[in-house]
Amino acid sequence: SGARKVKRVSLALGELSSVTEESVNFYFQALSKGTIAEGAELIFRTVPATYRCHQCQEQFSGEEDRLTCPRCGGSQISLVEGNDILVESIEAEA
């Protein structure tokens, strides 16, 4: 893309992912040395865990150990988001 320097990287970390901001910072600093991304600022956004009930389609947030629907009490629940790690944007100088 013709970028000369990466200034900022925005990341979304799911609250249920096993990755922490500290570990991302550590590895980013080590892996970006000598590249156009060296010294770039990392910005983190935490994505809460969101579930969906298969019975009534209610979407809700909650703790991982509470897997019943608050609307209908159903137990057929699936995770919609909150377990991912996503690069949302990269800001660079051209």
Side-chain angles (χ1 to χ4, degrees):
S1 69
R4 292 184 309 119
K5 178 91 175 124
V6 174
K7 294 174 63 176
R8 194 169 290 118
V9 179
S10 296
L11 300 146
L13 297 180
E15 72 176 342
L16 297 180
S17 71
S18 59
V19 176
T20 65
E21 290 181 22
E22 294 79 20
S23 65
V24 173
N25 271 314
F26 175 81
Y27 287 109
F28 184 80
Q29 298 308 318
L31 295 172
S32 65
K33 282 188 181 174
T35 72
I36 64 170
E38 185 173 4
E41 176 186 13
L42 296 181
I43 298 173
F44 296 95
R45 179 176 69 85
T46 301
V47 178
T50 304
Y51 302 91
R52 178 176 292 125
C53 174
H54 291 265
Q55 291 170 289
C56 71
Q57 302 305 309
E58 177 77 7
Q59 197 164 311
F60 60 95
S61 296
E63 295 88 36
E64 190 173 7
D65 59 345
R66 182 185 162 253
L67 293 180
T68 58
C69 177
R71 182 176 176 201
C72 74
S75 60
Q76 294 181 351
I77 305 297
S78 59
L79 183 66
V80 175
E81 67 178 348
N83 197 31
D84 297 333
I85 305 160
L86 301 170
V87 175
E88 293 189 310
S89 66
I90 299 172
E91 186 180 323
E93 296 175 354

